[in-house]
Amino acid sequence: MKRYLVFPQDFDTRAHLLEDEKESWDERPKQLHRENKQALLKELEWEFGSRDFDAKVVNFKEIGASPFSMVSFHNRFFAEIRHAFVVGSYYPALTGACALGERMLNHMLITLREEFRHTTEYKHVYRKKSFDDWKLAINTLSAWGILNEVLEAKFKELKRLRNKSIHFNQETYTSVRSDGLEAIKILSEIISLRFGFFRKEHSWSIKGTKGAQFVKKSFEDDPFIKNFYLPKCPL
């Protein structure tokens, strides 16, 4: 019996090492945590630079771990967005997150539409080469079952931030950091839910396998799995 293994994978959980040690820990785990934290701080200083380093550490900790994700079209751009936020380029991080969200909608819609030629939604999307109408894209992907209610709501939250930051809004000057942080966290959740693994929401995965995720046989013909997962997965 052969099944598709979700590999290669992308994630960055280093932010967890910046959390404070727990008083309930024994001394040896506390010492290991301190050593790992100091090693990470040196690594981050090399990666992001020493200027305003304390602020960069705060930013890195606040954006949290990069989600467990299959390697796909979004990973490199999302890494660049996270990097921009860490170094204090909050507006590029904010607008980049919103732009990547729009690009994800486009990529999914254009890649998958031929799978849904039989639907009423197809006639509204089959000709265009790109989409800037978030409502059309979100509603179409939701109708096709590519987005569930949670993902639909997340994309709508990102759309709100996109409209606020791209169209002139005086408030953006004062809220750009908090908006950027919110956009990154929303996008992180979208990636985790739609392109991720190791979550109970992923009905496509075989349960009970330790240290690896395999695609159920019954999902190999699922339009999303077939087009986005299987081409990356070894059998």
Side-chain angles (χ1 to χ4, degrees):
M1 179 179 67
K2 291 185 178 181
R3 294 293 180 265
Y4 285 95
L5 170 67
V6 181
F7 187 84
Q9 304 160 349
D10 180 72
F11 58 92
D12 181 353
T13 59
R14 292 178 297 168
H16 295 324
L17 290 176
L18 297 177
E19 296 175 359
D20 294 332
E21 59 192 53
K22 302 295 189 294
E23 288 299 324
S24 59
W25 291 356
D26 293 333
E27 185 56 37
R28 180 56 179 164
K30 286 183 179 180
Q31 181 61 31
L32 287 173
H33 181 74
R34 295 184 198 116
E35 292 173 359
N36 290 333
K37 186 175 181 179
Q38 287 303 311
L40 174 59
L41 289 172
K42 290 181 180 179
E43 180 181 328
L44 294 178
E45 186 173 9
W46 176 85
E47 183 176 351
F48 297 108
S50 57
R51 178 177 292 181
D52 299 323
F53 182 64
D54 290 344
K56 291 174 181 176
V57 172
V58 171
N59 289 343
F60 187 85
K61 184 177 180 179
E62 285 198 40
I63 59 174
S66 182
F68 287 83
S69 167
M70 60 170 288
V71 173
S72 190
F73 63 91
H74 59 269
N75 302 103
R76 180 167 64 87
F77 291 157
F78 189 50
E80 292 176 4
I81 290 164
R82 287 170 56 88
H83 189 282
F85 186 88
V86 172
V87 300
S89 298
Y90 301 127
Y91 191 67
L94 168 59
T95 55
C98 296
L100 182 54
E102 184 171 313
R103 187 174 184 85
M104 291 171 76
L105 289 172
N106 271 268
H107 202 129
M108 289 188 287
L109 192 55
I110 292 169
T111 299
L112 297 172
R113 60 186 172 189
E114 290 304 311
E115 301 275 356
F116 296 92
R117 292 176 63 92
H118 59 284
T119 66
T120 57
E121 291 80 17
Y122 178 78
K123 64 183 179 181
H124 300 296
V125 299
Y126 77 97
R127 287 184 177 179
K128 298 190 69 175
K129 294 182 178 179
S130 65
F131 300 86
D132 55 12
D133 185 342
W134 284 55
K135 183 178 180 180
L136 173 64
I138 292 170
N139 289 345
T140 300
L141 290 169
S142 297
W144 291 345
I146 306 304
L147 304 182
N148 59 23
E149 291 183 359
V150 176
L151 282 164
E152 182 179 346
K154 293 294 180 183
F155 272 110
K156 288 179 178 178
E157 291 176 33
L158 197 60
K159 177 189 175 185
R160 172 184 58 81
L161 287 170
R162 183 260 186 200
N163 291 341
K164 176 184 176 182
S165 59
I166 299 298
H167 302 301
F168 182 75
N169 186 317
Q170 193 76 29
E171 181 187 345
T172 299
Y173 292 118
T174 57
S175 65
V176 63
R177 185 185 185 278
S178 59
D179 288 346
L181 181 60
E182 182 181 2
I184 289 173
K185 288 186 175 294
I186 291 171
L187 195 56
S188 181
E189 187 70 5
I190 288 171
I191 292 170
S192 180
L193 286 169
R194 185 63 280 191
F195 294 90
F197 54 97
F198 289 145
R199 288 185 65 137
K200 63 181 180 181
E201 294 92 339
H202 296 144
S203 57
W204 53 261
S205 66
I206 298 174
K207 306 305 179 187
T209 56
K210 295 183 178 181
Q213 288 286 284
F214 295 89
V215 178
K216 291 178 181 177
K217 180 68 174 178
S218 58
F219 275 82
E220 289 181 10
D221 289 326
D222 175 87
F224 188 88
I225 297 297
K226 181 171 66 175
N227 284 276
F228 286 102
Y229 275 76
L230 300 193
K232 305 285 187 179
C233 297
L235 181 61

Tab-separated table of all heavy atoms in Angstrom, residues 112-145:
chain	number	residue	atom	x	y	z
A	112	LEU	N	-7.724	26.058	-10.062
A	112	LEU	CA	-8.778	25.081	-9.812
A	112	LEU	C	-10.021	25.240	-10.673
A	112	LEU	O	-10.858	24.324	-10.704
A	112	LEU	CB	-9.187	25.148	-8.333
A	112	LEU	CG	-8.105	24.783	-7.318
A	112	LEU	CD1	-8.576	25.085	-5.909
A	112	LEU	CD2	-7.708	23.325	-7.448
A	113	ARG	N	-10.173	26.340	-11.371
A	113	ARG	CA	-11.465	26.596	-12.020
A	113	ARG	C	-11.863	25.544	-13.045
A	113	ARG	O	-13.058	25.265	-13.213
A	113	ARG	CB	-11.466	27.999	-12.638
A	113	ARG	CG	-10.430	28.268	-13.696
A	113	ARG	CD	-10.466	29.734	-14.085
A	113	ARG	NE	-9.348	30.082	-14.966
A	113	ARG	CZ	-9.062	31.345	-15.311
A	113	ARG	NH1	-9.806	32.352	-14.881
A	113	ARG	NH2	-8.023	31.591	-16.101
A	114	GLU	N	-10.888	24.955	-13.754
A	114	GLU	CA	-11.247	23.938	-14.738
A	114	GLU	C	-11.825	22.683	-14.086
A	114	GLU	O	-12.508	21.887	-14.746
A	114	GLU	CB	-10.034	23.581	-15.604
A	114	GLU	CG	-9.617	24.673	-16.560
A	114	GLU	CD	-10.751	25.107	-17.484
A	114	GLU	OE1	-11.401	24.240	-18.079
A	114	GLU	OE2	-10.994	26.327	-17.587
A	115	GLU	N	-11.543	22.503	-12.799
A	115	GLU	CA	-12.123	21.377	-12.074
A	115	GLU	C	-13.609	21.588	-11.808
A	115	GLU	O	-14.322	20.645	-11.436
A	115	GLU	CB	-11.398	21.182	-10.729
A	115	GLU	CG	-9.910	20.925	-10.847
A	115	GLU	CD	-9.597	19.454	-11.071
A	115	GLU	OE1	-10.548	18.636	-11.055
A	115	GLU	OE2	-8.410	19.132	-11.263
A	116	PHE	N	-14.081	22.825	-11.983
A	116	PHE	CA	-15.459	23.164	-11.630
A	116	PHE	C	-16.217	23.758	-12.817
A	116	PHE	O	-17.076	24.623	-12.655
A	116	PHE	CB	-15.458	24.141	-10.448
A	116	PHE	CG	-14.879	23.565	-9.185
A	116	PHE	CD1	-13.528	23.725	-8.895
A	116	PHE	CD2	-15.662	22.838	-8.299
A	116	PHE	CE1	-12.972	23.193	-7.730
A	116	PHE	CE2	-15.123	22.301	-7.141
A	116	PHE	CZ	-13.780	22.473	-6.857
A	117	ARG	N	-15.914	23.242	-14.002
A	117	ARG	CA	-16.581	23.712	-15.219
A	117	ARG	C	-18.096	23.510	-15.156
A	117	ARG	O	-18.862	24.236	-15.793
A	117	ARG	CB	-16.034	22.978	-16.443
A	117	ARG	CG	-14.592	23.298	-16.782
A	117	ARG	CD	-14.110	22.439	-17.953
A	117	ARG	NE	-14.866	22.735	-19.168
A	117	ARG	CZ	-14.503	23.628	-20.080
A	117	ARG	NH1	-13.374	24.316	-19.914
A	117	ARG	NH2	-15.231	23.831	-21.148
A	118	HIS	N	-18.528	22.531	-14.390
A	118	HIS	CA	-19.939	22.182	-14.316
A	118	HIS	C	-20.747	23.090	-13.395
A	118	HIS	O	-21.974	22.954	-13.323
A	118	HIS	CB	-20.078	20.734	-13.816
A	118	HIS	CG	-19.468	20.526	-12.460
A	118	HIS	ND1	-18.103	20.430	-12.261
A	118	HIS	CD2	-20.038	20.400	-11.231
A	118	HIS	CE1	-17.856	20.236	-10.980
A	118	HIS	NE2	-19.013	20.226	-10.320
A	119	THR	N	-20.096	24.023	-12.689
A	119	THR	CA	-20.801	24.845	-11.712
A	119	THR	C	-21.249	26.164	-12.311
A	119	THR	O	-20.720	26.634	-13.318
A	119	THR	CB	-19.890	25.138	-10.502
A	119	THR	OG1	-18.777	25.956	-10.936
A	119	THR	CG2	-19.346	23.847	-9.901
A	120	THR	N	-22.225	26.784	-11.654
A	120	THR	CA	-22.719	28.086	-12.118
A	120	THR	C	-21.676	29.185	-11.924
A	120	THR	O	-21.673	30.170	-12.660
A	120	THR	CB	-24.002	28.465	-11.371
A	120	THR	OG1	-23.755	28.472	-9.960
A	120	THR	CG2	-25.120	27.473	-11.668
A	121	GLU	N	-20.781	29.002	-10.955
A	121	GLU	CA	-19.762	30.020	-10.682
A	121	GLU	C	-18.723	30.087	-11.801
A	121	GLU	O	-18.114	31.140	-12.016
A	121	GLU	CB	-19.052	29.728	-9.353
A	121	GLU	CG	-19.907	29.912	-8.107
A	121	GLU	CD	-20.829	28.724	-7.854
A	121	GLU	OE1	-20.584	27.643	-8.440
A	121	GLU	OE2	-21.780	28.884	-7.073
A	122	TYR	N	-18.518	28.987	-12.493
A	122	TYR	CA	-17.462	28.918	-13.506
A	122	TYR	C	-17.617	29.995	-14.575
A	122	TYR	O	-16.621	30.596	-15.007
A	122	TYR	CB	-17.462	27.529	-14.152
A	122	TYR	CG	-16.442	27.368	-15.260
A	122	TYR	CD1	-15.101	27.165	-14.965
A	122	TYR	CD2	-16.826	27.423	-16.603
A	122	TYR	CE1	-14.153	27.019	-15.982
A	122	TYR	CE2	-15.888	27.282	-17.621
A	122	TYR	CZ	-14.561	27.076	-17.308
A	122	TYR	OH	-13.634	26.950	-18.311
A	123	LYS	N	-18.839	30.270	-15.010
A	123	LYS	CA	-19.052	31.226	-16.100
A	123	LYS	C	-18.648	32.650	-15.722
A	123	LYS	O	-18.433	33.492	-16.589
A	123	LYS	CB	-20.510	31.211	-16.541
A	123	LYS	CG	-21.506	31.659	-15.476
A	123	LYS	CD	-22.945	31.548	-15.981
A	123	LYS	CE	-23.943	31.965	-14.910
A	123	LYS	NZ	-25.347	31.841	-15.394
A	124	HIS	N	-18.508	32.916	-14.426
A	124	HIS	CA	-18.116	34.251	-13.966
A	124	HIS	C	-16.600	34.409	-13.817
A	124	HIS	O	-16.113	35.538	-13.646
A	124	HIS	CB	-18.778	34.562	-12.617
A	124	HIS	CG	-20.274	34.536	-12.656
A	124	HIS	ND1	-21.016	35.418	-13.415
A	124	HIS	CD2	-21.163	33.712	-12.025
A	124	HIS	CE1	-22.303	35.163	-13.251
A	124	HIS	NE2	-22.418	34.132	-12.417
A	125	VAL	N	-15.861	33.299	-13.912
A	125	VAL	CA	-14.423	33.375	-13.628
A	125	VAL	C	-13.543	32.725	-14.692
A	125	VAL	O	-12.314	32.794	-14.599
A	125	VAL	CB	-14.102	32.720	-12.255
A	125	VAL	CG1	-14.819	33.440	-11.126
A	125	VAL	CG2	-14.466	31.238	-12.254
A	126	TYR	N	-14.120	32.099	-15.700
A	126	TYR	CA	-13.294	31.284	-16.606
A	126	TYR	C	-12.462	32.096	-17.573
A	126	TYR	O	-11.460	31.606	-18.095
A	126	TYR	CB	-14.163	30.285	-17.377
A	126	TYR	CG	-14.951	30.863	-18.534
A	126	TYR	CD1	-14.471	30.780	-19.841
A	126	TYR	CD2	-16.175	31.484	-18.320
A	126	TYR	CE1	-15.193	31.295	-20.912
A	126	TYR	CE2	-16.904	32.000	-19.373
A	126	TYR	CZ	-16.416	31.910	-20.663
A	126	TYR	OH	-17.132	32.432	-21.710
A	127	ARG	N	-12.800	33.365	-17.821
A	127	ARG	CA	-12.083	34.149	-18.822
A	127	ARG	C	-10.931	34.982	-18.249
A	127	ARG	O	-9.917	35.177	-18.913
A	127	ARG	CB	-13.049	35.110	-19.528
A	127	ARG	CG	-14.002	34.430	-20.496
A	127	ARG	CD	-14.843	35.468	-21.213
A	127	ARG	NE	-15.726	34.856	-22.199
A	127	ARG	CZ	-16.592	35.533	-22.954
A	127	ARG	NH1	-16.682	36.852	-22.820
A	127	ARG	NH2	-17.351	34.900	-23.822
A	128	LYS	N	-11.079	35.471	-17.051
A	128	LYS	CA	-10.132	36.459	-16.517
A	128	LYS	C	-8.784	35.831	-16.172
A	128	LYS	O	-8.692	34.681	-15.736
A	128	LYS	CB	-10.718	37.130	-15.276
A	128	LYS	CG	-11.994	37.918	-15.532
A	128	LYS	CD	-12.383	38.752	-14.338
A	128	LYS	CE	-11.407	39.888	-14.111
A	128	LYS	NZ	-11.821	40.799	-13.024
A	129	LYS	N	-7.721	36.620	-16.384
A	129	LYS	CA	-6.365	36.175	-16.057
A	129	LYS	C	-5.984	36.503	-14.619
A	129	LYS	O	-5.030	35.941	-14.080
A	129	LYS	CB	-5.365	36.805	-17.021
A	129	LYS	CG	-5.524	36.335	-18.469
A	129	LYS	CD	-4.459	36.959	-19.366
A	129	LYS	CE	-4.586	36.455	-20.790
A	129	LYS	NZ	-3.556	37.070	-21.691
A	130	SER	N	-6.691	37.449	-14.012
A	130	SER	CA	-6.443	37.774	-12.609
A	130	SER	C	-7.700	38.414	-12.024
A	130	SER	O	-8.569	38.886	-12.762
A	130	SER	CB	-5.248	38.719	-12.458
A	130	SER	OG	-5.522	39.974	-13.052
A	131	PHE	N	-7.761	38.442	-10.693
A	131	PHE	CA	-8.948	38.926	-10.001
A	131	PHE	C	-8.545	39.894	-8.892
A	131	PHE	O	-7.702	39.562	-8.053
A	131	PHE	CB	-9.727	37.751	-9.399
A	131	PHE	CG	-10.201	36.759	-10.418
A	131	PHE	CD1	-9.356	35.725	-10.829
A	131	PHE	CD2	-11.454	36.843	-10.970
A	131	PHE	CE1	-9.774	34.799	-11.771
A	131	PHE	CE2	-11.886	35.925	-11.918
A	131	PHE	CZ	-11.045	34.900	-12.320
A	132	ASP	N	-9.142	41.096	-8.911
A	132	ASP	CA	-8.943	42.030	-7.804
A	132	ASP	C	-10.223	42.200	-6.997
A	132	ASP	O	-10.261	42.966	-6.037
A	132	ASP	CB	-8.443	43.387	-8.302
A	132	ASP	CG	-9.355	44.000	-9.356
A	132	ASP	OD1	-10.490	43.500	-9.551
A	132	ASP	OD2	-8.942	44.983	-9.994
A	133	ASP	N	-11.266	41.481	-7.380
A	133	ASP	CA	-12.528	41.486	-6.663
A	133	ASP	C	-12.499	40.369	-5.618
A	133	ASP	O	-12.755	39.199	-5.915
A	133	ASP	CB	-13.687	41.281	-7.639
A	133	ASP	CG	-15.061	41.397	-6.975
A	133	ASP	OD1	-15.126	41.295	-5.730
A	133	ASP	OD2	-16.051	41.575	-7.706
A	134	TRP	N	-12.155	40.730	-4.389
A	134	TRP	CA	-12.035	39.740	-3.326
A	134	TRP	C	-13.363	39.032	-3.066
A	134	TRP	O	-13.383	37.832	-2.798
A	134	TRP	CB	-11.548	40.407	-2.036
A	134	TRP	CG	-10.101	40.746	-2.008
A	134	TRP	CD1	-9.414	41.497	-2.910
A	134	TRP	CD2	-9.152	40.368	-1.001
A	134	TRP	NE1	-8.090	41.611	-2.541
A	134	TRP	CE2	-7.910	40.936	-1.363
A	134	TRP	CE3	-9.228	39.621	0.177
A	134	TRP	CZ2	-6.765	40.762	-0.603
A	134	TRP	CZ3	-8.094	39.452	0.956
A	134	TRP	CH2	-6.870	40.018	0.561
A	135	LYS	N	-14.462	39.772	-3.141
A	135	LYS	CA	-15.765	39.176	-2.865
A	135	LYS	C	-16.063	38.054	-3.847
A	135	LYS	O	-16.498	36.970	-3.451
A	135	LYS	CB	-16.857	40.244	-2.933
A	135	LYS	CG	-18.251	39.718	-2.596
A	135	LYS	CD	-19.285	40.832	-2.628
A	135	LYS	CE	-20.666	40.291	-2.291
A	135	LYS	NZ	-21.703	41.365	-2.320
A	136	LEU	N	-15.821	38.297	-5.134
A	136	LEU	CA	-16.049	37.281	-6.160
A	136	LEU	C	-15.170	36.060	-5.921
A	136	LEU	O	-15.645	34.917	-5.982
A	136	LEU	CB	-15.775	37.861	-7.547
A	136	LEU	CG	-15.811	36.865	-8.713
A	136	LEU	CD1	-17.211	36.271	-8.867
A	136	LEU	CD2	-15.353	37.542	-10.004
A	137	ALA	N	-13.889	36.306	-5.657
A	137	ALA	CA	-12.959	35.198	-5.449
A	137	ALA	C	-13.326	34.384	-4.217
A	137	ALA	O	-13.351	33.142	-4.253
A	137	ALA	CB	-11.537	35.735	-5.336
A	138	ILE	N	-13.603	35.063	-3.112
A	138	ILE	CA	-13.931	34.372	-1.861
A	138	ILE	C	-15.229	33.582	-2.009
A	138	ILE	O	-15.300	32.411	-1.623
A	138	ILE	CB	-14.035	35.375	-0.697
A	138	ILE	CG1	-12.657	35.970	-0.377
A	138	ILE	CG2	-14.618	34.707	0.545
A	138	ILE	CD1	-12.693	37.137	0.593
A	139	ASN	N	-16.252	34.216	-2.565
A	139	ASN	CA	-17.541	33.539	-2.712
A	139	ASN	C	-17.444	32.328	-3.638
A	139	ASN	O	-18.066	31.286	-3.395
A	139	ASN	CB	-18.598	34.511	-3.235
A	139	ASN	CG	-19.003	35.547	-2.204
A	139	ASN	OD1	-18.712	35.397	-1.017
A	139	ASN	ND2	-19.675	36.592	-2.630
A	140	THR	N	-16.668	32.470	-4.723
A	140	THR	CA	-16.521	31.362	-5.665
A	140	THR	C	-15.800	30.181	-5.021
A	140	THR	O	-16.252	29.028	-5.113
A	140	THR	CB	-15.756	31.822	-6.918
A	140	THR	OG1	-16.473	32.890	-7.545
A	140	THR	CG2	-15.585	30.685	-7.900
A	141	LEU	N	-14.671	30.453	-4.354
A	141	LEU	CA	-13.914	29.378	-3.712
A	141	LEU	C	-14.704	28.746	-2.575
A	141	LEU	O	-14.582	27.542	-2.329
A	141	LEU	CB	-12.579	29.919	-3.206
A	141	LEU	CG	-11.565	30.295	-4.297
A	141	LEU	CD1	-10.394	31.058	-3.703
A	141	LEU	CD2	-11.068	29.053	-5.037
A	142	SER	N	-15.523	29.531	-1.910
A	142	SER	CA	-16.377	28.981	-0.850
A	142	SER	C	-17.446	28.076	-1.441
A	142	SER	O	-17.736	26.995	-0.904
A	142	SER	CB	-17.016	30.117	-0.047
A	142	SER	OG	-16.035	30.889	0.622
A	143	ALA	N	-18.042	28.500	-2.552
A	143	ALA	CA	-19.067	27.686	-3.203
A	143	ALA	C	-18.494	26.364	-3.682
A	143	ALA	O	-19.201	25.338	-3.698
A	143	ALA	CB	-19.672	28.458	-4.372
A	144	TRP	N	-17.227	26.358	-4.066
A	144	TRP	CA	-16.579	25.142	-4.536
A	144	TRP	C	-16.054	24.268	-3.395
A	144	TRP	O	-15.513	23.190	-3.636
A	144	TRP	CB	-15.420	25.492	-5.472
A	144	TRP	CG	-15.856	26.066	-6.784
A	144	TRP	CD1	-17.102	26.040	-7.330
A	144	TRP	CD2	-15.024	26.754	-7.720
A	144	TRP	NE1	-17.110	26.672	-8.549
A	144	TRP	CE2	-15.840	27.112	-8.824
A	144	TRP	CE3	-13.671	27.109	-7.757
A	144	TRP	CZ2	-15.351	27.807	-9.932
A	144	TRP	CZ3	-13.172	27.793	-8.853
A	144	TRP	CH2	-14.009	28.135	-9.936
A	145	GLY	N	-16.168	24.756	-2.163
A	145	GLY	CA	-15.699	23.982	-1.026
A	145	GLY	C	-14.209	24.090	-0.773
A	145	GLY	O	-13.663	23.347	0.050
